[in-house]
Amino acid sequence: MVTGILGKKIGMTQFYTEDGKLLPVTMIQAGPCNVMQVKTVENDGYYAVQLAFDGKKKKRANKPEIGHAAKASTEPKRFIREVAVVAGAEVKLGQTITLDVLKDVKWIDAIGLTKGKGYAGVMKRWNFKGGAASHGSTRHRPPGSISSNTDPGRVIRGKKMAGRLGGEQVTIRNLSVVKIDEGNNLLFVKGAIPGHKGSYLILNKSR
Amino acid sequence: MNIIDTFEKSQMKKPSYRFTIGDQVDVSVKIVEGDKERIQIFTGVVIAKNGGGFKETFTVRRIVQGEGVERVFPIHSPKIADIKVIKSGRVRRAKLYYMRDRTGKGTRLQEKFVKEKESPKTVDAATTQTGEKTTT
């Protein structure tokens, strides 16, 4: 059995549980994926499956991509990632993996790319407090002192400063699965998920 | 229509309740006690409606033992069994937050009387109009 699937964030909405509770949920289109490559202990030193999700026009794919897909007798795809597999499980090249992989799963981990925030100041990036907004203050958002004087005579490595924020890979663990709609390949998960609408996700069973 | 809209529509109640700001309403709320389910009625004045479509909520305010109590209900919640309009108040704004500052006699709203014969006609006209809009 494959222990995960690839997907795409659709957006957030609300969902009523059976006992009438209103939950914030994220709608994810999960699968169908194709198996592009099967990795085994004999060949690669570990068991895994390379999944491919979301079709790509052939004219947009390069020759190595087309060739790699042709080995699994599928079309080139946009999002290709590796997912763990239970040792000894039979997975064939080109096999279609659907949401029933996560059928009886209660909790999943989602891996995705967060929204890029660009060059962000210290208040947004590290939650510094900044200065007073009023009372004659002109020191609104700067970080303040970054170190001492002659001793140590340098800035400590790893000092929190302004810089690029977001656009990094993040794993959100233990998201509860609220609902699965296998017919439409839809997965509903409680709470938010990294990334913009349409961003790709790796969805694994939680350990 | 995108997938989220269709999903939200599938959860919406049909038909929707008809009430407006300033109405005094009886909201029947389903309450589960152990295995038993019973209905509790929350009576008060609708002082606000927020959001739209599936996410729409409304706020009901009442005075209990001299203390103002407000409850926010999602309109499409399965816990709401029924909403009944007892009487309609004559109000001039969409959010009646000024009711929070009032006590005693000041909390009363002037009643609006709707002619029974006329109201269904106007409702029909409104629905047919919207129907035409969607078809064209």
Side-chain angles (χ1 to χ4, degrees), chain A residues 23-102:
Chain A
L23 298 180
V25 293
T26 308
M27 191 191 258
I28 301 165
Q29 195 206 327
C33 304
N34 288 106
V35 176
M36 277 279 192
Q37 197 183 349
V38 180
K39 300 202 168 182
T40 56
V41 171
E42 296 87 64
N43 278 331
D44 312 276
Y46 63 102
Y47 285 107
V49 154
Q50 195 184 66
L51 294 181
F53 173 66
D54 216 5
K56 190 179 193 177
K57 277 184 185 168
K58 231 175 186 174
K59 68 173 182 185
R60 295 203 199 286
N62 58 28
K63 280 190 177 173
E65 280 174 351
I66 295 169
H68 187 61
K71 267 188 196 170
S73 53
T74 57
E75 300 286 299
K77 304 279 173 150
R78 278 167 183 259
F79 189 58
I80 300 173
R81 289 292 182 277
E82 230 173 73
V83 160
V85 74
V86 178
E90 248 189 52
V91 185
K92 283 173 196 159
L93 263 184
Q95 187 186 330
T96 327
I97 304 286
T98 55
L99 246 183
D100 65 27
V101 172
L102 300 177

Side-chain angles (χ1 to χ4, degrees), chain A residues 10-16 19-20 27 179 186 188, chain B residues 3-4 7-8 11 54-55 74-79:
Chain A
I10 294 175
M12 291 195 73
T13 178
Q14 297 176 334
F15 177 72
Y16 286 105
D19 50 348
M27 191 191 258
K179 182 184 154 94
L186 294 177
F188 296 85
Chain B
I3 314 170
I4 287 189
F7 173 70
E8 286 180 351
Q11 288 191 81
F54 171 59
K55 290 170 183 170
I75 280 189
H76 296 283
S77 168
K79 277 186 181 170

Side-chain angles (χ1 to χ4, degrees), chain B residues 84-130:
Chain B
K84 263 184 199 147
V85 179
I86 303 168
K87 49 184 174 179
S88 307
R90 199 181 75 88
V91 293
R92 304 184 78 163
R93 53 211 70 220
K95 304 276 187 280
L96 309 182
Y97 295 142
Y98 63 83
M99 297 292 281
R100 291 170 178 169
D101 303 327
R102 298 204 172 175
T103 50
K105 283 186 178 176
T107 57
R108 294 174 304 172
L109 289 173
Q110 198 181 350
E111 197 170 343
K112 186 171 74 181
F113 294 99
V114 188
K115 284 179 190 170
E116 276 180 26
K117 278 182 185 174
E118 276 183 27
S119 55
K121 268 184 191 173
T122 50
V123 164
D124 284 346
T127 47
T128 48
Q129 264 182 6
T130 51

Side-chain angles (χ1 to χ4, degrees), chain B residues 55-85:
Chain B
K55 290 170 183 170
E56 188 172 345
T57 59
F58 63 101
T59 308
V60 180
R61 181 180 172 86
R62 68 174 296 189
I63 309 287
V64 183
Q65 295 172 356
E67 193 67 39
V69 176
E70 280 177 22
R71 271 185 83 171
V72 181
F73 298 100
I75 280 189
H76 296 283
S77 168
K79 277 186 181 170
I80 291 181
D82 196 16
I83 303 170
K84 263 184 199 147
V85 179

